[in-house]
């Protein structure tokens, strides 16, 4: 998903995250899932699917409501949430 997003292929990034969600993930899922949600939210935003992007970032922020406030990923998610709220 990250490689597709970095290559400017947001639809492929969304599909990769969706595949990841259905396949489990083992012990590294706790690390990968929050990153995947943020990648998906950003990709959905790039596709103009802002409502879906807001739901994805909301899922992440809900799961991380007690997370360390200094986490860079959390700051990125909050910034995306603010940007989505401000978008017309």
């Amino acid at each position: 998903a990250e490689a597709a997003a970095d290559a400017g292929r947001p639809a492929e990034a969304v599909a990769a995250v969706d595949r990841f969600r259905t396949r489990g993930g083992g012990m590294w899922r706790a690390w990968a899932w929050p990153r995947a949600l943020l990648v998906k939210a950003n990709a959905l935003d790039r596709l103009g699917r802002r409502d879906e992007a807001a739901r994805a970032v909301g899922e992440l922020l809900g799961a991380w409501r007690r997370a360390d406030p200094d986490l860079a990923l959390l700051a990125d998610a909050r910034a995306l949430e603010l940007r989505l709220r401000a978008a017309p």
Side-chain angles (χ1 to χ4, degrees), residues 41-75:
N42 277 306
L44 288 166
D45 181 35
R46 287 187 197 112
L47 291 168
R49 295 163 55 184
R50 289 196 168 91
D51 289 342
E52 292 172 80
R55 282 193 296 275
V57 79
E59 182 180 344
L60 173 58
L61 291 173
W64 276 22
R65 65 185 171 278
R66 288 186 245 153
D68 182 342
D70 294 329
L71 289 173
L73 187 76
L74 182 59

Side-chain angles (χ1 to χ4, degrees), residues 7-81:
R9 299 187 316 261
E12 289 179 35
V14 171
V17 171
D18 290 342
R19 283 191 308 274
F20 171 72
R21 184 174 204 156
T22 62
R23 291 188 182 156
M27 66 183 187
W28 47 269
R29 184 177 177 86
W31 175 85
W33 183 240
R35 295 176 62 83
L37 276 175
L38 188 58
V39 167
K40 182 176 182 176
N42 277 306
L44 288 166
D45 181 35
R46 287 187 197 112
L47 291 168
R49 295 163 55 184
R50 289 196 168 91
D51 289 342
E52 292 172 80
R55 282 193 296 275
V57 79
E59 182 180 344
L60 173 58
L61 291 173
W64 276 22
R65 65 185 171 278
R66 288 186 245 153
D68 182 342
D70 294 329
L71 289 173
L73 187 76
L74 182 59
D76 291 346
R78 286 181 175 154
L80 176 58
E81 180 188 43

